[in-house]
Amino acid sequence: MSQSKTLYQLQQCDSGIDQAVKRIQAIESILSDSNELDFALKKQKEHKLILDEKQKFLKSAEHVVEIQNQKITQNQNKLYSGAVTNPKDLEDLQLESSSLQKYLSVLEERQLETMLESDQAQEIYNQTSAHAVTISQKKQAESEILSAEKSALESKISSLQSDRVAFLTNAEISELPIYENLRKSSGGIAVTLMQNSSCSACGSYIPSAIEQEARSPKKLSFCPACRRILHPGSS
């Protein structure tokens, strides 16, 4: 087996490991990203505070109306009980009754407005709560899928690493240091295929002399542009 083919096969193993590691890093980044859920929970909390405040105002408004009704009841009892006979006192009670009824209308209008605001706040809170639940469920489902994928990738890496060790044990690779250095300096791709007299990595033209040299089973040839190891793909 030619040196370039041996290194190309080693690279396929290393590239598989690199891709799996990169995907695991992406998965971990996704799993650790809780911004969407945090934002949804924050909005839910904000609208819960608003709802609590509106319900507090409504309760206060209801209490004020209740007190006003009690005052009216007391006024009516005095007015029609027969206990008050003085014309001036009766007139005062009638005026008071009219005033109390008018103010009750104002209070009931305020109560209605407060009730509508409370209902609206409740609706918005229900919507934000439902949205937070949806995001949480989506996150949980996504987490389960990605965690399973991560586990499979970790198994794949372990298998590829075992294959790499076995491959290096069985193959004589005198140019391994060159390969390792090129992987570091060339984005993880040390060996590139020649296709139609061109380097598949950078697209540069490969002169015929170098192309013939690359087909030699005993020596390595390099792309004159990107300096990667050339592999003819058929030897």
Side-chain angles (χ1 to χ4, degrees), residues 1 3 10 27 42 72 104 109 128 177 180 205 229 231:
M1 185 185 296
Q3 284 282 306
L10 176 61
I27 288 173
K42 178 184 177 183
I72 291 173
L104 176 63
E109 185 176 349
T128 56
E180 297 287 5
Y205 170 72
I229 299 168
H231 175 50

Side-chain angles (χ1 to χ4, degrees), residues 1-7 9 167 171-172 217-218 231 235:
M1 185 185 296
S2 68
Q3 284 282 306
S4 65
K5 185 172 184 178
T6 300
L7 292 174
Q9 291 178 342
F167 187 80
E172 295 182 3
K218 297 182 179 181
H231 175 50
S235 58

Side-chain angles (χ1 to χ4, degrees), residues 188-199:
I189 304 299
V191 186
T192 178
L193 290 174
M194 289 190 302
Q195 296 179 335
N196 299 321
S197 300
S198 298
C199 170

